[in-house]
Amino acid sequence: MRCVTGRLMLLDTASLYFRAYFGVPDSVKAPDGTPVNAVRGLLDFIDRLVKDHRPDALVACMDADWRPQWRVDLIPSYKAHRVAEEHETGPDEEEVPDTLSPQVPVIEAVLDALGIARVGVAGYEADDVIGTFTARAKGPVDIVTGDRDLYQLVDDARGIRVLYPLKGVGTLQMTDEAWLREKYGVDGRGYADLALLRGDPSDGLPGVPGIGEKTAAKLLAEFGDLGGIMAALDDPKAKLTPTQRKRLDESRPYVAVAPTVVRVADDVPLPDVETALPRTPHDQAALQGLAERWGLGGSLQRLLTTLAV
């Protein structure tokens, strides 16, 4: 990938189009009556994000595989409750609302015609693509996501923050290390260990039984990180209660593999893409055809005006 030195904005695209789908009424339709609420909602989101934050570069990060096999091999329950259909070859199908699935290819075609970089890599989630772009960035990074897993990438020293939508994208929670410490008692690096210990039912991560968020934060404050906690388990003098010792000891197999599952990858083989914010559409004719076919109207026009500024 090309080196980005200005402010880079990374979109957790699926997270945002899901929010658009549920936030914009399905009465928003194409001329043929097909719902396009997720398409138009996402375009409105991008317009507002670019207008408010003025990134130099923008990447729409995609889930080429929302449940990678290498994660499932380590923790079989990983996202298992969200599988709609299993496939022996290729990624399993995720449970997605009926009227959202047909909108995803339209979103992809519109982003491509606009010239907004769209990156998904086989065998990886969008989180991993975001993690790798973030690791390689030379300047500040804004990660826009409704997924708290990405709090682990927050790093004040490098200017990396998470913009978490509270209401649409007009109201964003600016997640930096000070906010994380106040809310969870950890910094960005510590968040992955906290999530691993606490578990996450929405991702099918069991966590360590009996260790919730507050206990996890307390243990991390006491022993530094997950490695420190597990080292303390082998030290009879360490300040662990008998119950904590028992539960951590019984969870050794989980703790051994969970970091690989919970931590986002930072070594994804990214394609060489043009990440600079496009001022004019990459393919005007294709964009015009999409606008007419899907009735993208004001949402697309507003974004084009914002990009041209």
Side-chain angles (χ1 to χ4, degrees):
M1 66 165 262
R2 293 169 192 157
C3 182
V4 180
T5 52
R7 179 170 292 282
L8 171 63
M9 178 173 279
L10 300 170
L11 307 181
D12 182 1
T13 314
S15 165
L16 295 178
Y17 66 59
F18 263 94
R19 280 177 180 253
Y21 176 80
F22 288 109
V24 178
D26 60 9
S27 55
V28 175
K29 294 180 177 175
D32 68 357
T34 307
V36 288
N37 51 331
V39 185
R40 291 192 58 161
L42 182 66
L43 292 174
D44 287 336
F45 280 180
I46 296 173
D47 172 56
R48 184 67 187 264
L49 288 164
V50 172
K51 206 176 279 175
D52 289 354
H53 302 283
R54 286 288 157 198
D56 301 294
L58 178 70
V59 183
C61 302
M62 314 295 289
D63 281 317
D65 189 340
W66 67 280
R67 188 175 181 249
Q69 191 59 44
W70 54 272
R71 282 193 166 106
V72 177
D73 288 343
L74 294 172
I75 299 180
S77 63
Y78 182 67
K79 294 187 178 179
H81 60 294
R82 283 153 55 180
V83 175
E85 192 176 332
E86 291 188 19
H87 295 294
E88 282 191 27
T89 57
D92 293 334
E93 277 182 45
E94 186 177 12
E95 210 170 305
V96 176
D98 289 348
T99 54
L100 173 56
S101 296
Q103 297 188 56
V104 177
V106 182
I107 287 168
E108 293 175 344
V110 173
L111 292 173
D112 292 350
L114 281 165
I116 290 174
R118 180 172 66 83
V119 179
V121 178
Y124 293 97
E125 299 177 54
D127 286 11
D128 302 312
V129 174
I130 289 169
T132 305
F133 269 110
T134 300
R136 297 185 190 178
K138 300 297 182 191
V141 181
D142 284 340
I143 299 163
V144 188
T145 180
D147 182 354
R148 293 183 178 89
D149 292 344
L150 289 166
Y151 287 172
Q152 64 183 275
L153 297 176
V154 169
D155 185 341
D156 287 1
R158 292 190 56 216
I160 299 162
R161 60 186 183 173
V162 168
L163 310 184
Y164 184 92
L166 297 172
K167 191 176 180 185
V169 291
T171 309
L172 294 167
Q173 173 189 288
M174 302 289 182
T175 308
D176 58 9
E177 287 185 10
W179 188 92
L180 282 176
R181 277 192 288 268
E182 188 179 332
K183 175 78 174 170
Y184 298 106
V186 295
D187 58 11
R189 286 183 64 83
Y191 187 82
D193 287 346
L194 179 95
L196 181 160
L197 290 163
R198 174 197 65 196
D200 185 349
S202 69
D203 278 345
L205 292 172
V208 176
I211 294 187
E213 203 165 88
K214 287 181 180 172
T215 304
K218 205 176 288 182
L219 290 172
L220 289 166
E222 176 77 29
F223 301 110
D225 58 15
L226 184 66
I229 293 170
M230 298 314 285
L233 185 56
D234 297 322
D235 177 2
K237 294 176 186 171
K239 293 179 186 173
L240 288 167
T241 69
T243 303
Q244 287 168 354
R245 282 185 183 280
K246 182 173 183 291
R247 286 178 168 157
L248 285 164
D249 189 49
E250 288 169 350
S251 297
R252 282 182 196 266
Y254 164 75
V255 171
V257 298
T260 306
V261 176
V262 173
R263 289 178 187 142
V264 300
D266 61 5
D267 57 354
V268 173
L270 298 175
D272 186 27
V273 291
E274 179 52 71
T275 59
L277 198 67
R279 298 298 172 199
T280 56
H282 171 70
D283 189 335
Q284 182 66 55
L287 194 61
Q288 185 63 37
L290 289 162
E292 291 170 10
R293 165 74 180 85
W294 299 106
L296 302 181
S299 298
L300 181 59
Q301 281 310 313
R302 284 189 291 275
L303 177 54
L304 286 170
T305 302
T306 297
L307 290 172
V309 172

